[in-house]
Amino acid sequence: MATLPFSAAQSSSVSGFNYRASHSNLFFVRTPRFFNRLKRRNLSVKNITSDQRQELKDPSVNGEASLETLEPDSASIAASIQYHAEFTPLFSPEHFDLPKAFVATAESVRDSLIINWNATYKYYEKMNVKQAYYLSMEYLQGRALLNAIGNLELSGAYADALRKLGHELEDVAGQEPDAALGNGGLGRLASCFLDSLATLNYPAWGYGLRYKYGLFKQLITKDGQEEVAENWLEMGNPWEIVRNDVSYSVKFYGEVISKPDGSKEWIGGENITAVAYDVPIPGYKTKTTINLRLWSTKVAPNEFDLRAYNAGDHAKACAALKNAEKICYILYPGDESTEGKILRLKQQYTLCSASLQDIIAHFERRSGKPVNWENFPDKVAVQMNDTHPTLCIPELIRILIDLKGLSWKESWYITQRTVAYTNHTVLPEALEKWSLDLLQKLLPRHVEIIRMIDEELIHTIIAEYGTGDLDLLQHKLKQMRILDNIELPDSVLELLVKQEESSSVDSIKEVKVSDAETESTDEEQSEEQDTDAKDVVTFDPDPNLPKMVRMANLCVVGGYAVNGVAEIHSEIVKNEVFNEFYKLWPEKFQNKTNGVTPRRWIRFCNPDLSKIITKWTGTDDWVLNTEKLSTLAEFSDNEDLQSEWREAKKRNKIKVADFLKEKTGYIVNPDAMFDVQVKRIHEYKRQLLNIMGIVYRYKKMKEMSPEERKARYVPRVCIFGGKAFATYVQAKRIVKFITDVGTTVNHDADIGDLLKVVFVPDYNVSVAEVLIPGSELSQHISTAGMEASGTSNMKFAMNGCILIGTLDGANVEIRQEVGEDNFFLFGAEAHEIAGLRKERAEGKFIPDPRFEEVKAFVRNGVFGHYNYEELMGSLEGNEGYGRADYFLVGKDFPSYVECQEKVDEAYKDQKRWTKMSILNTAGSYKFSSDRTIHEYARDIWRIQPVLLP
């Protein structure tokens, strides 16, 4: 525990700074000595597409730099940290221990970010730039301190400053909790995008929700996964800036009335207030600092029922307050109950409504009066990150029609030119469907608008395909309608009736029949009538099926662009998921392969490797221009590079070993191969295939003599991490199975260091930043065609980790770039999956004997007393929910086991393995989020980089 070297309360002068408690505008008073060190720095920084940039000129500046910024040294930073420890405290004043040091340091950094944020925001306002707005339910930010000071190029200065104050930067940074705003790749992608947007000077904001408890904190116990509330906000969040003056009313329930002029008004119901919390996002080597605006929910004080409270009915008094607050309690609340479904819809609508109101306020303010709404799509691009923000489509139309007085035609045209949709999955649970009755109850005006959009779509389909072939029309409507199992609109029924009447008239013909034909029996006539009835095309809803709203279809219809996130995924989107829409609007569909930021995922989390890359590429410009990584391939056989590469990997593996001991108690050998699978626990990601492969390996080891197993097997540390959703029973069984296998294997003296199995609890960004640099083999083994892209595969490859995987998602492109010989491939391909499932359903699948051997081994109770019958049973049978091995673990098992044998052989040749590692880093240049953002900006948002003066 450290104490402050000197008191900021005293009138001290350190490196040109005098403290004044009364000075609230900035964290220090500038003195002459300070101004002697002030350096003029132009805020524009050349980036990798300078030839594409549009430099907006402010005529009032006359082309000269208009903003002076300070370039602080370690002494001034130390003074700033001390100021915040003294005057913006969240802790008692006696000591300057690590938690207090972190908060004071973060607030010091935030001061610089606010200066840059204000300059960026004001310039965007002044120049009225076209701006992109990214709407996402998740942002998996990770720790912000090291990333922020790294982007500001102040890492060394802050390290020196904290050392003077008695602490190490790494220790201080370790006090920061991960922001609990996301769960998996969807949220991490959104965060990488914000980093790239700021770094490349694109005008953009992110919008999300400020979850009080996030998803959950994962504990691993003898019973498997347990969930407790995440406490990331317990000590406050020094990065966020509450904007109490930026708030919007959000309505639920109520009714829609028609006014005398024909317009509609949504009245009554429940009203809550969404309040903005801003998190500045700095770019790398640029002063551009964009914004992540998070919404928190509350109600006005007059909603608190003081009379009920004083009468002792405290629950009633606080009901409105709790109903509002709980919207932002949890990311993805369980939706098995009606209450859970309502809460999820409230979350999604709150994000959409508050964000759209804010975006429109920006547009109106920048446009001046009168507002020309036709220009809205020329100034605004809204990107929906998956289907969670779908309600922004009817919400934008509602605001334009009901509040701004535009017509349906005008509003629909504006919306279709403003909103774009990123599809992230082909899994049914992610292609959201919501009950029409539930939506009608919660958002009655939006259901009216969705019905109008659905009607517009049906008329478009009829205009394209006609009504001559009712079978074809029925098929198109079944696949494409937004409203599923819901009666056709009256305007469409009228068209069909007219068509039927016309067809009946045209089909009247005189037909001569023989006497024998007229003598058919009543029974024959009845059979003919039954046959005719079966051929009748009906558009009536099925009373036995629920009435649903298909959100993904609404996204496609309401948006002007639809993109997948990897080449193979985008082809599946076009050819399978939305094939009928693709036939109708092929120009809408694009591919935008995901990317990850090389700042966080190499430069900051792997400094040892970064130094080597800089040395051998001859520049550190690769952090912005990742194509320069490809030059490493020229030196992949160089013994000096290989030696340095192995040493860096070994140092990172030692860090991982220390981390595993701290988090799990297991001691692992850093000379073993580190084999890692860390991601959300889901059956399609097939952690079950991985652990069953490990069980097979363990069983074979046990059958050998010590000499045989040592000669046959490479020592491995098999590391797992990831959260299973709290109500996903099968995923939680898999977590339990992994931990049980680890308990048995890790305590088996016969096996020793030849095999270890470790499950890392509470996997998050900070854990990934430790594990990825030290990983040597990374598993991306999803059932082909089911992983949209993946981003962790990119991070591992960037850090010289070799992948084992199927031809799924971005694996396909990674393998192309790093070279087929540097990727361990196994398993069925996407085009085979449907046939293999059909084969299984017909009872034709014959399991590999090795697969049956593993299941029997598990059932024998080797890994404890837990009953794994349900888990093993899911891999058996030919049909039925939870059975029939839908994700083809058994089918791919033999290919997987044989591929793992090739991994062992390759690892024994360390020269070959190191070359493969280097070539993985060299080939990962394509997978930078900078490249992805350039493609979004060019092809979808049509925005240009904006350089501050």
Side-chain angles (χ1 to χ4, degrees):
M1 184 175 292
T3 57
L4 290 172
F6 51 84
S7 173
Q10 299 169 355
S11 180
S12 304
S13 179
V14 180
S15 296
F17 292 88
N18 279 342
Y19 291 115
R20 290 184 189 169
S22 61
H23 188 79
S24 59
N25 210 17
L26 200 57
F27 55 82
F28 49 75
V29 178
R30 300 175 183 180
T31 67
R33 186 176 172 190
F34 161 74
F35 280 108
N36 288 336
R37 298 197 321 275
L38 191 66
K39 296 181 180 180
R40 182 183 297 271
R41 294 173 64 185
N42 195 314
L43 294 189
S44 69
V45 176
K46 186 174 181 180
N47 61 41
I48 56 181
T49 56
S50 57
D51 58 326
Q52 297 178 357
R53 296 180 307 179
Q54 175 186 359
E55 185 163 0
L56 301 182
K57 298 294 184 181
D58 182 352
S60 67
V61 177
N62 296 322
E64 295 184 4
S66 62
L67 183 68
E68 289 183 335
T69 61
L70 55 129
E71 190 175 87
D73 58 18
S74 61
S76 60
I77 288 172
S80 170
I81 293 170
Q82 287 184 292
Y83 172 85
H84 283 290
E86 183 75 15
F87 293 111
T88 54
L90 291 175
F91 300 86
S92 58
E94 290 86 2
H95 302 287
F96 188 63
D97 54 10
L98 283 172
K100 184 174 184 178
F102 160 67
V103 172
T105 302
E107 288 170 335
S108 166
V109 177
R110 192 185 70 177
D111 288 336
S112 296
L113 298 184
I114 290 174
I115 294 170
N116 296 339
W117 187 94
N118 286 337
T120 305
Y121 177 79
K122 288 176 182 176
Y123 196 66
Y124 289 172
E125 290 276 303
K126 186 172 207 173
M127 304 311 295
N128 192 17
V129 298
K130 182 175 183 179
Q131 190 161 329
Y133 299 95
Y134 198 79
L135 272 64
S136 178
M137 287 292 286
E138 291 189 49
Y139 289 92
L140 202 57
Q141 292 287 91
R143 291 170 175 165
L145 178 58
L146 294 180
N147 191 73
I149 62 176
N151 277 0
L152 292 170
E153 299 181 90
L154 294 174
S155 299
Y158 267 90
D160 290 344
L162 284 167
R163 205 169 289 119
K164 292 175 182 177
L165 297 175
H167 291 300
E168 295 297 322
L169 175 58
E170 285 189 3
D171 296 334
V172 172
Q175 296 297 305
E176 181 176 6
D178 278 38
L181 300 172
N183 176 36
L186 181 83
R188 186 52 236 171
L189 177 77
S191 296
C192 281
F193 277 6
L194 294 185
D195 176 271
S196 287
L197 284 163
T199 296
L200 302 175
N201 301 301
Y202 282 115
W205 275 22
Y207 283 103
L209 295 181
R210 182 180 178 268
Y211 304 107
K212 185 173 183 179
Y213 302 114
L215 188 71
F216 57 80
K217 188 178 183 67
Q218 182 194 50
L219 305 179
I220 300 298
T221 70
K222 62 181 178 61
D223 297 316
Q225 172 181 296
E226 293 185 9
E227 307 89 21
V228 297
E230 178 62 69
N231 62 349
W232 76 286
L233 286 174
E234 185 177 18
M235 304 302 288
N237 178 12
W239 303 109
E240 66 186 13
I241 306 147
V242 60
R243 308 290 191 187
N244 288 312
D245 59 329
V246 180
S247 63
Y248 300 97
S249 177
V250 178
K251 181 187 291 293
F252 306 107
Y253 305 110
E255 61 179 331
V256 180
I257 61 172
S258 296
K259 296 193 285 191
D261 61 358
S263 62
K264 298 290 186 75
E265 185 179 1
W266 183 15
I267 63 171
E270 173 186 312
N271 292 283
I272 61 112
T273 301
V275 180
Y277 283 72
D278 287 348
V279 179
I281 308 294
Y284 177 69
K285 290 191 175 183
T286 175
K287 290 301 177 183
T288 296
T289 299
I290 64 172
N291 192 36
L292 170 58
R293 177 157 284 179
L294 303 172
W295 300 107
S296 187
T297 46
K298 66 177 187 178
V299 292
N302 58 12
E303 295 288 339
F304 180 75
D305 192 338
L306 187 60
R307 183 178 306 227
Y309 191 85
N310 287 330
D313 193 347
H314 301 153
K316 179 183 177 182
C318 300
L321 178 66
K322 292 300 181 184
N323 279 337
E325 288 181 346
K326 73 180 180 182
I327 292 173
C328 291
Y329 275 171
I330 300 291
L331 168 66
Y332 302 143
D335 60 354
E336 286 71 27
S337 65
T338 299
E339 292 76 12
K341 289 180 173 65
I342 290 172
L343 186 55
R344 278 214 191 188
L345 271 174
K346 281 186 171 183
Q347 287 185 334
Q348 293 185 5
Y349 180 59
T350 298
L351 169 64
C352 295
S353 180
S355 301
L356 260 296
Q357 291 182 68
D358 198 42
I359 291 165
I360 287 171
H362 291 170
F363 172 75
E364 291 180 310
R365 186 169 58 250
R366 294 176 183 182
S367 298
K369 294 185 179 179
V371 175
N372 183 354
W373 289 101
E374 290 183 4
N375 291 338
F376 190 77
D378 299 325
K379 294 296 183 182
V380 171
V382 175
Q383 188 72 37
M384 300 181 294
N385 192 27
D386 218 351
T387 53
H388 307 127
T390 305
L391 288 169
C392 73
I393 294 171
E395 175 67 1
L396 178 55
I397 294 172
R398 181 191 73 84
I399 293 172
L400 293 176
I401 294 177
D402 295 356
L403 303 183
K404 305 303 177 183
L406 275 65
S407 68
W408 156 256
K409 184 176 180 181
E410 291 170 323
S411 302
W412 180 228
Y413 181 62
I414 289 170
T415 300
Q416 284 190 301
R417 293 168 56 217
T418 301
V419 179
Y421 163 52
T422 298
N423 173 273
H424 281 278
T425 185
V426 299
L427 294 177
E429 61 261 34
L431 296 175
E432 289 184 298
K433 293 182 181 180
W434 288 103
S435 162
L436 178 68
D437 292 339
L438 194 65
L439 266 173
Q440 178 70 53
K441 178 182 178 183
L442 191 69
L443 302 169
R445 179 58 175 143
H446 295 76
V447 169
E448 288 187 351
I449 293 169
I450 291 170
R451 286 186 180 275
M452 295 166 71
I453 297 172
D454 186 62
E455 184 173 355
E456 188 89 12
L457 170 64
I458 295 171
H459 283 287
T460 300
I461 294 170
I462 291 174
E464 180 71 18
Y465 298 105
T467 57
D469 186 341
L470 292 183
D471 285 315
L472 175 65
L473 181 59
Q474 184 190 49
H475 171 75
K476 296 292 182 182
L477 295 182
K478 184 174 180 61
Q479 296 296 314
M480 300 174 72
R481 281 193 69 185
I482 298 163
L483 300 177
D484 184 27
N485 198 43
I486 295 171
E487 65 280 349
L488 290 172
D490 291 341
S491 63
V492 177
L493 288 173
E494 289 173 6
L495 274 178
L496 294 177
V497 168
K498 289 177 182 177
Q499 173 65 24
E500 185 178 355
E501 291 173 349
S502 175
S503 299
S504 298
V505 171
D506 292 342
S507 64
I508 295 174
K509 298 179 182 177
E510 289 187 13
V511 180
K512 293 183 178 181
V513 293
S514 66
D515 292 342
E517 288 174 321
T518 61
E519 293 175 358
S520 60
T521 64
D522 291 342
E523 184 178 346
E524 289 171 335
Q525 291 175 359
S526 176
E527 288 177 357
E528 289 173 3
Q529 290 171 0
D530 288 344
T531 302
D532 292 342
K534 291 177 184 176
D535 293 333
V536 171
V537 175
T538 177
F539 295 90
D540 294 333
D542 186 337
N544 298 315
L545 296 176
K547 297 182 177 183
M548 306 296 288
V549 180
R550 297 190 282 199
M551 308 304 271
N553 287 23
L554 179 53
C555 287
V556 176
V557 175
Y560 67 91
V562 179
N563 71 277
V565 290
E567 287 179 1
I568 185 174
H569 171 244
S570 294
E571 291 305 305
I572 293 171
V573 164
K574 291 190 294 186
N575 298 326
E576 297 178 27
V577 183
F578 298 125
N579 182 246
E580 299 298 344
F581 290 108
Y582 176 64
K583 292 174 183 175
L584 184 61
W585 297 308
E587 70 283 354
K588 277 192 180 187
F589 289 81
Q590 302 182 21
N591 174 62
K592 295 287 172 278
T593 299
N594 285 344
V596 299
T597 167
R599 269 75 64 186
R600 182 180 286 270
W601 294 112
I602 306 184
R603 179 67 182 85
F604 302 145
C605 79
N606 199 344
D608 286 341
L609 187 64
S610 296
K611 291 173 184 175
I612 294 171
I613 294 172
T614 297
K615 173 184 174 180
W616 286 87
T617 60
T619 177
D620 65 356
D621 195 39
W622 60 268
V623 183
L624 283 171
N625 299 284
T626 52
E627 63 269 19
K628 293 187 177 180
L629 290 174
S630 63
T631 61
L632 288 170
E634 301 171 17
F635 311 106
S636 61
D637 286 312
N638 186 287
E639 291 185 2
D640 291 336
L641 173 58
Q642 287 203 0
S643 176
E644 293 174 20
W645 202 270
R646 281 193 293 269
E647 289 172 7
K649 182 64 74 173
K650 181 65 176 290
R651 287 193 291 272
N652 285 323
K653 289 174 69 178
I654 292 171
K655 292 177 184 177
V656 171
D658 292 342
F659 175 82
L660 295 179
K661 182 180 179 182
E662 176 189 350
K663 294 297 181 182
T664 70
Y666 287 128
I667 298 173
V668 301
N669 179 11
D671 291 325
M673 179 202 297
F674 281 16
D675 172 353
V676 180
Q677 187 180 19
V678 283
K679 53 186 66 197
R680 181 166 50 98
I681 309 295
H682 198 292
E683 288 173 277
Y684 89 85
K685 293 179 183 288
R686 298 204 295 192
Q687 287 91 351
L688 184 55
L689 175 61
N690 185 352
I691 192 61
M692 291 190 75
I694 292 169
V695 170
Y696 178 76
R697 186 183 187 93
Y698 174 64
K699 184 176 185 296
K700 291 304 167 187
M701 284 182 174
K702 292 291 287 182
E703 294 169 356
M704 295 178 180
S705 68
E707 294 75 21
E708 287 175 323
R709 68 175 74 109
K710 186 175 181 181
R712 172 79 179 273
Y713 291 105
V714 165
R716 285 206 199 194
V717 177
C718 300
I719 303 169
F720 292 84
K723 295 179 180 179
F725 191 65
T727 57
Y728 190 174
V729 176
Q730 190 75 333
K732 295 178 78 169
R733 287 189 185 120
I734 293 170
V735 174
K736 169 67 172 165
F737 185 35
I738 294 169
T739 58
D740 281 353
V741 172
T743 299
T744 299
V745 171
N746 298 344
H747 293 93
D748 191 326
D750 291 340
I751 301 302
D753 284 342
L754 270 181
L755 183 63
K756 297 292 184 186
V757 180
V758 184
F759 192 101
V760 181
D762 207 37
Y763 178 68
N764 57 24
V765 174
S766 296
V767 175
E769 289 171 333
V770 176
L771 294 182
I772 291 174
S775 301
E776 294 174 288
L777 180 74
S778 181
Q779 307 220 19
H780 303 274
I781 57 178
S782 52
T783 311
M786 303 200 75
E787 183 73 86
S789 173
T791 53
S792 65
N793 46 6
M794 302 172 183
K795 298 163 196 165
F796 281 101
M798 275 187 176
N799 283 271
C801 183
I802 300 160
L803 309 188
I804 180 172
T806 53
L807 281 179
D808 197 24
N811 283 0
V812 178
E813 293 160 80
I814 291 174
R815 183 168 176 263
Q816 290 170 353
E817 297 299 330
V818 306
E820 295 180 4
D821 293 337
N822 304 305
F823 184 106
F824 293 104
L825 178 67
F826 76 94
E829 297 186 24
H831 67 273
E832 301 175 292
I833 301 302
L836 292 170
R837 287 180 177 144
K838 183 173 183 290
E839 175 188 77
R840 186 71 182 243
E842 293 171 351
K844 297 177 181 178
F845 172 68
I846 300 175
D848 187 273
R850 291 168 290 186
F851 186 60
E852 297 300 287
E853 186 182 342
V854 170
K855 289 191 297 179
F857 191 60
V858 173
R859 283 175 162 138
N860 284 339
V862 176
F863 303 109
H865 301 296
Y866 185 84
N867 184 356
Y868 282 109
E869 187 56 42
E870 290 290 337
L871 188 59
M872 295 297 105
S874 71
L875 305 173
E876 298 171 338
N878 298 320
E879 58 185 354
Y881 179 76
R883 295 184 67 81
D885 194 12
Y886 183 79
F887 301 99
L888 303 179
V889 173
K891 177 64 181 178
D892 280 350
F893 184 80
S895 174
Y896 176 72
V897 168
E898 289 156 14
C899 191
Q900 287 285 13
E901 292 172 358
K902 296 176 183 177
V903 172
D904 276 1
E905 288 304 311
Y907 195 77
K908 290 174 183 177
D909 183 350
Q910 277 295 293
K911 182 175 177 62
R912 174 191 170 193
W913 187 273
T914 306
K915 180 178 180 178
M916 294 171 70
S917 176
I918 294 168
L919 291 174
N920 265 265
T921 298
S924 67
Y925 70 92
K926 178 181 176 181
F927 303 104
S928 164
S929 54
D930 296 351
R931 182 266 315 156
T932 313
I933 285 299
H934 280 309
E935 293 181 5
Y936 271 98
R938 179 192 66 210
D939 302 333
I940 298 180
W941 304 331
R942 306 294 172 87
I943 61 174
Q944 296 291 330
V946 175
L947 304 181
L948 277 68

